[in-house]
Amino acid sequence: MQKTPTYSSSPTAVSLILLAATMPFNLSSAQSGGGESSKGNLAQREIIRRTQAVAEADRLVAEGRDAYKKADFQLAVDKYKAAVGKVRNVPALVDRRESYTQHLADASVALAQSYSKIGKYDEARQLLEVVLAPNMDPENATAKTELAYLDDPIRRNP
Protein backbone atom coordinates (compact mmCIF):
# COMPACT_ATOMS: atom_id res chain seq x y z
CA MET A 1 0.00 0.00 0.00
CA GLN A 2 1.36 3.40 -0.95
CA LYS A 3 1.40 6.14 1.67
CA THR A 4 0.53 9.67 0.64
CA PRO A 5 2.06 12.64 2.43
CA THR A 6 -0.21 14.48 4.81
CA TYR A 7 1.20 17.85 3.83
CA SER A 8 1.52 19.77 0.62
CA SER A 9 4.85 21.14 -0.53
CA SER A 10 3.45 23.70 -2.92
CA PRO A 11 4.63 27.32 -2.75
CA THR A 12 1.21 28.34 -1.49
CA ALA A 13 1.46 25.91 1.42
CA VAL A 14 4.94 27.17 2.29
CA SER A 15 3.67 30.75 2.20
CA LEU A 16 0.78 29.87 4.49
CA ILE A 17 3.11 28.13 6.94
CA LEU A 18 5.40 31.15 7.04
CA LEU A 19 2.42 33.45 7.51
CA ALA A 20 1.12 31.29 10.35
CA ALA A 21 4.53 31.34 12.00
CA THR A 22 4.46 35.13 12.11
CA MET A 23 0.86 35.43 13.28
CA PRO A 24 1.45 35.11 17.05
CA PHE A 25 4.03 37.90 16.87
CA ASN A 26 1.68 40.17 14.96
CA LEU A 27 -1.24 39.44 17.26
CA SER A 28 0.74 40.06 20.42
CA SER A 29 2.14 43.31 19.06
CA ALA A 30 -1.34 44.50 18.14
CA GLN A 31 -2.69 43.62 21.58
CA SER A 32 0.10 45.32 23.52
CA GLY A 33 -0.67 48.77 22.22
CA GLY A 34 2.63 49.17 20.36
CA GLY A 35 4.84 50.38 23.22
CA GLU A 36 7.50 47.71 23.60
CA SER A 37 6.89 46.11 20.22
CA SER A 38 7.60 49.34 18.36
CA LYS A 39 10.98 49.52 20.12
CA GLY A 40 11.58 45.89 19.23
CA ASN A 41 10.62 46.54 15.61
CA LEU A 42 12.93 49.54 15.50
CA ALA A 43 15.80 47.49 16.89
CA GLN A 44 15.04 44.68 14.46
CA ARG A 45 15.01 47.10 11.51
CA GLU A 46 18.33 48.56 12.66
CA ILE A 47 19.87 45.10 12.88
CA ILE A 48 18.66 44.34 9.37
CA ARG A 49 19.99 47.67 8.08
CA ARG A 50 23.41 47.08 9.60
CA THR A 51 23.54 43.52 8.29
CA GLN A 52 22.71 44.78 4.81
CA ALA A 53 25.41 47.45 5.10
CA VAL A 54 28.00 44.82 6.00
CA ALA A 55 26.88 42.64 3.09
CA GLU A 56 27.15 45.64 0.76
CA ALA A 57 30.61 46.41 2.12
CA ASP A 58 31.70 42.82 1.50
CA ARG A 59 30.44 43.11 -2.07
CA LEU A 60 32.38 46.34 -2.56
CA VAL A 61 35.55 44.73 -1.21
CA ALA A 62 35.15 41.84 -3.64
CA GLU A 63 34.78 44.33 -6.50
CA GLY A 64 37.82 46.21 -5.22
CA ARG A 65 39.87 43.01 -5.19
CA ASP A 66 38.88 42.30 -8.78
CA ALA A 67 39.86 45.82 -9.80
CA TYR A 68 43.18 45.50 -7.95
CA LYS A 69 43.92 42.22 -9.76
CA LYS A 70 43.29 44.01 -13.06
CA ALA A 71 45.65 46.83 -11.97
CA ASP A 72 42.78 49.34 -11.95
CA PHE A 73 44.00 50.88 -8.71
CA GLN A 74 41.79 53.98 -8.86
CA LEU A 75 38.65 51.83 -9.01
CA ALA A 76 40.02 49.60 -6.24
CA VAL A 77 40.65 52.62 -4.00
CA ASP A 78 37.13 53.92 -4.69
CA LYS A 79 35.54 50.55 -3.86
CA TYR A 80 37.57 50.13 -0.67
CA LYS A 81 36.74 53.68 0.48
CA ALA A 82 33.06 52.97 -0.05
CA ALA A 83 33.36 49.69 1.87
CA VAL A 84 35.08 51.38 4.82
CA GLY A 85 32.35 54.03 4.80
CA LYS A 86 29.61 51.37 4.98
CA VAL A 87 30.98 49.62 8.08
CA ARG A 88 30.50 51.43 11.35
CA ASN A 89 33.36 51.68 13.81
CA VAL A 90 31.85 49.41 16.46
CA PRO A 91 33.55 46.69 18.53
CA ALA A 92 31.78 43.85 16.72
CA LEU A 93 33.14 44.99 13.36
CA VAL A 94 36.65 46.11 14.34
CA ASP A 95 38.43 43.23 12.58
CA ARG A 96 36.42 43.67 9.40
CA ARG A 97 36.96 47.42 9.35
CA GLU A 98 40.72 46.97 9.90
CA SER A 99 40.84 44.50 7.04
CA TYR A 100 39.02 46.93 4.75
CA THR A 101 41.33 49.74 5.82
CA GLN A 102 44.38 47.59 5.07
CA HIS A 103 43.00 46.85 1.60
CA LEU A 104 42.49 50.57 1.10
CA ALA A 105 46.04 51.33 2.22
CA ASP A 106 47.53 48.72 -0.13
CA ALA A 107 45.52 49.96 -3.10
CA SER A 108 46.39 53.57 -2.29
CA VAL A 109 50.11 52.76 -2.23
CA ALA A 110 49.80 50.92 -5.56
CA LEU A 111 47.93 53.90 -7.04
CA ALA A 112 50.59 56.27 -5.68
CA GLN A 113 53.29 54.14 -7.31
CA SER A 114 51.50 54.30 -10.65
CA TYR A 115 51.07 58.07 -10.27
CA SER A 116 54.76 58.41 -9.51
CA LYS A 117 55.67 56.51 -12.69
CA ILE A 118 53.74 58.93 -14.88
CA GLY A 119 54.88 62.10 -13.11
CA LYS A 120 51.87 62.84 -10.91
CA TYR A 121 54.06 63.42 -7.89
CA ASP A 122 51.69 65.67 -5.96
CA GLU A 123 48.82 63.19 -6.26
CA ALA A 124 51.14 60.36 -5.21
CA ARG A 125 52.32 62.33 -2.19
CA GLN A 126 48.75 63.08 -1.10
CA LEU A 127 47.78 59.42 -1.30
CA LEU A 128 50.83 58.31 0.66
CA GLU A 129 50.24 60.91 3.35
CA VAL A 130 46.66 59.68 3.72
CA VAL A 131 47.94 56.12 4.09
CA LEU A 132 50.40 57.20 6.78
CA ALA A 133 47.72 59.11 8.71
CA PRO A 134 47.04 57.85 12.27
CA ASN A 135 43.58 56.54 11.38
CA MET A 136 44.82 54.38 8.50
CA ASP A 137 48.27 52.74 8.64
CA PRO A 138 50.98 55.00 10.11
CA GLU A 139 53.56 52.18 10.13
CA ASN A 140 53.14 51.17 6.48
CA ALA A 141 56.72 50.51 5.36
CA THR A 142 55.93 50.56 1.64
CA ALA A 143 54.23 53.95 1.92
CA LYS A 144 57.20 55.34 3.87
CA THR A 145 59.61 54.02 1.25
CA GLU A 146 57.59 55.46 -1.63
CA LEU A 147 57.38 58.81 0.15
CA ALA A 148 61.16 58.78 0.56
CA TYR A 149 61.51 57.99 -3.15
CA LEU A 150 59.41 61.06 -3.95
CA ASP A 151 61.81 63.19 -1.91
CA ASP A 152 64.92 61.65 -3.51
CA PRO A 153 66.27 64.00 -6.21
CA ILE A 154 68.09 61.18 -7.97
CA ARG A 155 64.95 59.05 -8.37
CA ARG A 156 62.76 62.03 -9.15
CA ASN A 157 64.75 64.15 -11.52
CA PRO A 158 62.58 66.79 -13.14
Side-chain angles (χ1 to χ4, degrees):
M1 182 171 146
Q2 184 179 4
K3 293 184 179 181
T4 57
T6 58
Y7 59 90
S8 173
S9 62
S10 71
T12 305
V14 172
S15 300
L16 289 173
I17 291 170
L18 290 174
L19 180 64
T22 60
M23 288 300 281
F25 176 77
N26 290 339
L27 289 176
S28 65
S29 65
Q31 292 171 348
S32 69
E36 286 297 317
S37 67
S38 65
K39 291 178 185 175
N41 288 339
L42 180 62
Q44 190 174 26
R45 284 194 309 258
E46 182 65 17
I47 290 169
I48 291 169
R49 186 188 66 75
R50 289 182 184 186
T51 303
Q52 289 172 342
V54 170
E56 175 70 12
D58 288 341
R59 185 188 62 78
L60 288 167
V61 167
E63 290 175 7
R65 286 180 182 155
D66 290 339
Y68 190 91
K69 287 177 188 174
K70 295 175 184 174
D72 187 355
F73 301 123
Q74 181 62 57
L75 181 61
V77 166
D78 293 341
K79 295 292 183 178
Y80 292 144
K81 278 184 185 177
V84 170
K86 291 271 182 193
V87 177
R88 296 176 54 130
N89 195 8
V90 294
L93 299 173
V94 167
D95 292 339
R96 186 173 300 232
R97 189 172 172 85
E98 286 176 0
S99 172
Y100 293 172
T101 303
Q102 188 59 49
H103 285 302
L104 176 58
D106 293 342
S108 296
V109 169
L111 182 59
Q113 288 171 335
S114 66
Y115 280 168
S116 180
K117 288 178 185 174
I118 60 173
K120 293 184 174 181
Y121 301 120
D122 292 335
E123 292 88 345
R125 182 178 303 282
Q126 289 173 351
L127 279 170
L128 293 170
E129 288 173 351
V130 168
V131 169
L132 293 172
N135 62 343
M136 190 174 287
D137 190 5
E139 300 302 319
N140 190 314
T142 310
K144 288 179 180 181
T145 302
E146 288 299 318
L147 199 56
Y149 287 165
L150 287 176
D151 293 332
D152 187 1
I154 295 173
R155 290 184 182 272
R156 187 182 152 209
N157 186 0

